[in-house]
Amino acid sequence: MQTQNLIGGRWVGADSGATFAVTDPATDEHVADVPKCGRAETARAIGAAQEAWGAWRSKTAAERGEAVRKLAELMVRDQERLAGLMTREQGKPLAEARGEIAYAASFLTWAAEEGRRLYGEMIPASFANKRLLVMRQPVGVCAIITPWNFPSAMITRKLGPALSCGCTVVIKPAEDTPLSALAIGELCGEAGIPAGVVNIVTGTPAEIGDELLSNPAVRKLSFTGSTQVGKLLMRKAADNVLRLSMELGGHAPFIVFDDADVEAAVAGAMATKFRNAGQTCICANRLYVQAGIYDEFVGRLTEAVSCLKVGRGTDEGVQVGPLINDAAVEKVEAHVADARERGADVLFGGQRAHVAGGADRFFQPTLLAGVTGEMRLSREETFGPVAPVRRFMEEAEAIAWANDSDFGLAAYAYTRDASRCFRVAEALEYGIVGMNDAAPSTAQAPFGGVKQSGIGREGGKYVMDEYTETKYVSWGVSGA
Ligand code: NAP
């Protein structure tokens, strides 16, 4: 297990020798100590990325793509080891961790290919003696700040395209899950990615962040995390007018119409709500179910929720692991308590779950009915295994409720009516719509939000715009 930081191709500790502990959220067991770095180490990492940039951007797209593709292969080769590490520091069930490693590698594979297609353009000029060219060039040194809920995929979704476009990076992973990031850093060396192209710094977020956002060598911030921290970073990034990619919080509505395939809708709700114990940015936060199908849907959902197995991610058959930390459990408890006080009925769960030998950080898969719009869980991300259900009468009502949010990341709808599919998909003010599909995220499609869910898109051909500058060359041609 790699526990040091990666700066300029060397594995190093903090200047002060200080460390912080990484613990298993399922058991509170100590997993490792990693460096507690600050501004000085971050400045050196930026310097290394700046120094490495010239040679890296000069390589051909095919050469860079080859290294990125190799990194993907190594992640797949080490899938079992990386998944085990992830489950220990993050808590998600091993099967989900394996899935995340494959998903993380898919962003690298996609970006490795897409880098070969960074085409320019020739624009017809208004004068015979001019040629107008457009070329795409790498942005430069990129700061990458990532969350704990997908400790590998949120890195590779940025790292793959950044490297393929010819950028170099400094990564700051979440304090809860630094080991998955450091493991990727190790594989970067094996993949032949030159020293200084990828740097990883762990430690005090505000200190590392302040250096990343004020150092003039950094040209871009790519952030995934909460809207609250995202706004703070955007304010700080303003001083250097940094380019921004912001993947922020979500509050996904999940709408089930009377004409839906109920079985598919229940399966979809289960998949999107309880994956990663409800700790995903695109997980359903509000289930709106039309009156005609309400009783059947809620009955089947209650049955499915009651069958979920809660436990340590390493235990066989576990589907819901622990929440990431104590604050996360307290937030889920507060949301459920608020909903109950305001009249919601608990159809299943509703409190912490006891797991033998486990920490006090598990929450029962929970189903709430009688939910109303003013409850906290109708407006804020719960980030836990709680499914609040609300009955609606008309399509317009469900759309209005769905759009009544500051967030706009993902939304879901289940219906068999093709015309309604289009109407609803167009009316939802969200960056991603899962239409009869609860798992829309994939490497070749654009991922990102509107409103306070963010700026920019990751995935697909679209992500390449985030790591390239558009340069225009107006060329005078004599004798033409
Ligand atoms: P967070 O608290 O915003 O933290 C995200 C990252 O920012 C972490 O690395 C964190 O470091 C760092 N950070 C915090 N304060 C900072 C500062 N002052 N300067 C620089 N960095 C700072 O979010 P989280 O709790 O890790 O993740 C959950 C959130 O991410 C949810 O809101 C979820 O919806 C969102 N998310 C969005 C997407 C998407 O694609 N839109 C995907 C996944 C998650 P520490 O961990 O060390 O504090």
Side-chain angles (χ1 to χ4, degrees):
M1 187 197 303
Q2 181 55 254
T3 58
Q4 297 291 81
N5 281 187
L6 180 59
I7 299 179
R10 293 178 53 236
W11 290 98
V12 296
D15 292 351
S16 65
T19 58
F20 65 93
V22 181
T23 54
D24 182 338
T27 58
D28 278 337
E29 276 165 16
H30 178 260
V31 180
D33 291 308
V34 299
K36 191 173 184 178
C37 289
R39 285 197 84 133
E41 299 88 339
T42 307
R44 280 203 295 281
I46 294 167
Q50 172 76 352
E51 207 181 311
W53 186 41
W56 183 246
R57 69 180 297 193
S58 300
K59 286 189 182 295
T60 65
E63 286 168 335
R64 288 193 299 263
E66 186 54 28
V68 174
R69 190 186 54 74
K70 179 79 181 153
L71 177 60
E73 283 174 8
L74 295 174
M75 287 190 74
V76 172
R77 181 197 71 186
D78 288 359
Q79 184 177 25
E80 208 52 35
R81 176 178 71 85
L82 297 173
L85 189 62
M86 188 189 299
T87 292
R88 282 207 77 193
E89 66 174 348
Q90 201 274 348
K92 66 178 64 179
L94 209 42
E96 283 190 27
R98 286 189 194 107
E100 184 181 335
I101 298 301
Y103 175 62
S106 75
F107 286 108
L108 297 172
T109 310
W110 174 266
E113 292 298 323
E114 204 56 21
R116 298 171 191 240
R117 292 185 276 273
L118 281 178
Y119 304 133
E121 224 177 350
M122 197 146 181
I123 302 172
S126 304
F127 302 96
N129 63 348
K130 279 196 176 200
R131 301 292 179 270
L132 314 184
L133 270 67
V134 176
M135 56 177 79
R136 294 169 79 185
Q137 295 189 308
V139 166
V141 176
C142 299
I144 290 179
I145 302 182
T146 53
W148 49 265
N149 64 340
F150 288 93
S152 294
M154 294 304 98
I155 290 177
T156 57
R157 203 161 74 170
K158 302 174 188 303
L159 181 64
L163 297 187
S164 290
C165 289
C167 299
T168 56
V169 304
V170 178
I171 301 170
K172 191 217 93 63
E175 278 165 297
D176 285 319
T177 57
L179 300 171
S180 295
L182 298 173
I184 291 173
E186 247 187 335
L187 294 180
C188 285
E190 200 181 333
I193 295 168
V197 171
V198 177
N199 304 274
I200 307 176
V201 188
T202 59
T204 313
E207 282 192 33
I208 297 173
D210 284 354
E211 185 61 33
L212 288 173
L213 299 177
S214 63
N215 191 309
V218 175
R219 298 288 175 81
K220 176 186 175 76
L221 166 67
S222 181
F223 172 78
T224 297
S226 63
T227 297
Q228 189 193 0
V229 173
K231 286 181 185 177
L232 175 83
L233 300 185
M234 284 172 79
R235 285 187 200 107
K236 291 185 180 183
D239 281 344
N240 282 352
V241 194
L242 288 189
R243 286 191 50 158
L244 296 174
S245 297
M246 307 301 284
E247 294 285 346
L248 309 178
H251 198 255
F254 186 101
I255 309 170
V256 185
F257 289 97
D258 280 346
D259 57 14
D261 174 340
V262 190
E263 203 178 321
V266 169
M270 293 298 292
T272 174
K273 179 67 259 183
F274 296 102
R275 187 167 64 111
N276 204 6
Q279 302 172 113
T280 84
C281 54
I282 59 168
C283 74
N285 269 261
R286 306 169 271 156
L287 279 66
Y288 300 144
V289 185
Q290 202 161 12
I293 207 174
Y294 183 89
D295 289 341
E296 186 186 354
F297 179 85
V298 169
R300 289 207 201 187
L301 190 63
T302 311
E303 201 184 322
V305 171
S306 69
C307 294
L308 285 172
K309 186 173 173 189
V310 181
R312 289 184 291 193
T314 45
D315 289 347
E316 195 57 36
V318 161
Q319 291 154 299
V320 180
L323 297 185
I324 188 70
N325 52 36
D326 294 338
V329 192
E330 283 155 20
K331 183 178 184 191
V332 174
E333 270 183 332
H335 275 204
V336 173
D338 171 77
R340 292 178 87 154
E341 274 164 31
R342 293 174 194 258
D345 298 320
V346 179
L347 300 185
F348 193 86
Q351 53 195 333
R352 291 183 193 225
H354 175 69
V355 170
D360 187 22
R361 212 165 284 126
F362 295 84
F363 203 86
Q364 293 174 337
T366 295
L367 192 56
L368 301 176
V371 170
T372 57
E374 68 276 5
M375 294 175 183
R376 276 185 72 187
L377 42 64
S378 291
R379 315 214 69 83
E380 302 169 25
E381 269 187 310
T382 304
F383 242 52
V386 180
V389 189
R390 192 175 176 190
R391 189 195 308 254
F392 72 90
M393 305 305 288
E394 302 294 335
E395 183 180 308
E397 187 181 31
I399 298 294
W401 289 352
N403 287 340
D404 181 20
S405 172
D406 291 336
F407 298 104
L409 187 55
Y412 305 89
Y414 277 73
T415 171
R416 283 190 174 112
D417 179 334
S419 295
R420 177 178 269 157
C421 286
F422 272 98
R423 277 199 311 273
V424 170
E426 286 170 7
L428 287 168
E429 295 167 358
Y430 286 80
I432 303 162
V433 175
M435 187 59 67
N436 298 316
D437 181 16
S441 179
T442 179
Q444 62 269 41
F447 188 105
V450 302
K451 298 191 197 168
Q452 294 191 23
S453 286
I455 301 171
R457 292 294 179 269
E458 295 190 328
K461 62 180 181 179
Y462 309 91
V463 70
M464 307 310 267
D465 293 340
E466 308 282 327
Y467 295 96
T468 48
E469 296 284 5
T470 301
K471 182 178 279 181
Y472 161 53
V473 181
S474 180
W475 195 339
V477 179
S478 58

